[in-house]
Amino acid sequence: MKILLWHVHGSWTNAFVRGGHEYLIPGPPQGIGLAGRDWPAAREVAVSEAALPEVGADIAVLQRPVEVGLVPTGVPWVYLEHNTPRYPNQTHPLKDWPGTIVHVTHFNDLMWDCGTTRTVVIEHGVVDPGPLYTGELERAAVVVNDPVRRGRAVGTDLLPRFAEAAPLDVYGMHTRRLGAMGRGDHELGSLHRELARRRLYLHPVRWTSLGLSLIEAMHLGMPVVALACTEVVRAVPPDAGVVSTDVEELVQAVADLVADPALARQKGKQAREFALARYGLDAFLRSWDHLLTGVSG
């Protein structure tokens, strides 16, 4: 198929464009195009080209309400919802629409009010970075974008408490604003190498969808300490780390893993095995193929 898709979430798109299709990515002014990404099966197009016979998009995957008005006439589409609602009874913008909304987690499907609109869940898949974990540094890694602005939602207020148990390295956009613990934004390969050197992955997030960085850390072979919020209780099994709503319990877990590299490596091994089984790329792409084939006819 030829799939029209806006480049919105780079890590998610990095997995999606690994399927056996041609991916049409709108460039400026209606999109950001490839933005320097090396995606051999994708090419940058103008939205107007997607309706031309020689281009001929078979289907579109939309991720923002603004894109609804940009899809060429006659091209069928599905809507991919990446996010949690702001509150449990929030109405989805496409409530009661006679199409399909795809949620990336079961938690999001549970919490969004989509009315009569058909919903399906296709859980995340990631490109396996490999078992790079060394855990040589007695530090905890965190990945979050814009932590100062997003505040409590991503657990920024909890970072000082965790820093009492181990030094923190926080990666992502605008993390330099955190001061000494901020490490800034990194290219994906560089980020994975840096994460893998830290003893554990810390996920202090209260209210967001399931971050791909958490799943990638598990693929690396990192043990996880995480707040038991949103989809995390499904994504991180007990033998892969410690998941709890008791912050003191989590602080102690950070200290324990930093002090015991053998324990950290054991839990990291279990994390990788679980992530490969639940969030592997092949199952993700098969699920999308099944859905898009059915919608496109």
Side-chain angles (χ1 to χ4, degrees):
M1 289 184 284
K2 293 182 179 180
I3 303 172
L4 179 64
L5 170 78
W6 275 260
H7 179 180
V8 177
H9 294 279
S11 292
W12 183 90
T13 309
N14 185 51
F16 185 74
V17 299
R18 307 287 169 157
H21 308 288
E22 184 177 350
Y23 304 90
L24 310 177
I25 312 292
Q30 295 168 318
I32 64 171
L34 299 182
R37 297 298 186 107
D38 180 20
W39 293 332
R43 64 186 177 96
E44 196 167 310
V45 300
V47 175
S48 58
E49 291 182 78
L52 298 176
E54 60 268 27
V55 178
D58 298 302
I59 195 166
V61 177
L62 278 55
Q63 301 165 79
R64 299 168 298 174
V66 68
E67 296 167 7
V68 173
L70 300 177
V71 181
T73 302
V75 177
W77 52 275
V78 299
Y79 191 92
L80 170 62
E81 179 56 69
H82 288 278
N83 301 314
T84 54
R86 292 190 300 275
Y87 43 88
N89 59 343
Q90 184 181 358
T91 298
H92 195 276
L94 295 181
K95 180 181 179 180
D96 300 330
W97 164 59
T100 301
I101 295 174
V102 184
H103 291 290
V104 296
T105 70
H106 290 278
F107 181 87
N108 292 0
D109 189 27
L110 172 70
M111 302 304 285
W112 273 109
D113 177 9
C114 294
T116 60
T117 303
R118 176 196 180 209
T119 66
V120 298
V121 176
I122 299 181
E123 294 186 292
H124 287 306
V126 303
V127 179
D128 181 17
L132 304 181
Y133 180 71
T134 65
E136 64 203 75
L137 301 179
E138 296 179 348
R139 308 175 71 88
V142 182
V143 179
V144 60
N145 288 325
D146 217 353
V148 173
R149 179 183 62 82
R150 297 169 73 192
R152 285 177 56 84
V154 294
T156 305
D157 60 303
L158 300 176
L159 296 180
R161 295 177 67 179
F162 286 111
E164 295 174 3
L168 304 184
D169 293 318
V170 186
Y171 298 88
M173 293 185 290
H174 309 304
T175 53
R176 300 285 187 190
R177 298 176 184 174
L178 292 172
M181 69 177 66
R183 295 292 176 263
D185 200 14
H186 285 56
E187 178 272 328
L188 191 59
S190 171
L191 174 64
H192 288 160
R193 290 189 294 272
E194 289 301 314
L195 294 179
R197 297 179 64 210
R198 274 68 191 169
R199 184 66 50 84
L200 66 115
Y201 186 84
L202 173 64
H203 189 70
V205 174
R206 287 186 176 92
W207 189 262
T208 72
S209 192
L210 183 62
L212 281 166
S213 56
L214 169 62
I215 300 172
E216 289 166 351
M218 292 171 68
H219 272 77
L220 292 169
M222 299 184 73
V224 173
V225 174
L227 286 179
C229 298
T230 65
E231 190 78 356
V232 169
V233 293
R234 178 176 167 84
V236 182
D239 55 0
V242 178
V243 175
S244 177
T245 54
D246 183 341
V247 177
E248 289 306 314
E249 181 182 353
L250 297 179
V251 169
Q252 185 60 53
V254 170
D256 292 344
L257 288 169
V258 166
D260 191 340
L263 175 64
R265 184 170 292 279
Q266 175 191 343
K267 289 187 175 294
K269 181 176 182 293
Q270 296 298 320
R272 175 169 167 78
E273 290 178 1
F274 183 86
L276 286 171
R278 169 154 293 171
Y279 301 109
L281 188 62
D282 289 347
F284 169 77
L285 294 174
R286 282 197 305 270
S287 295
W288 271 103
D289 280 352
H290 179 75
L291 173 69
L292 295 179
T293 300
V295 172
S296 68

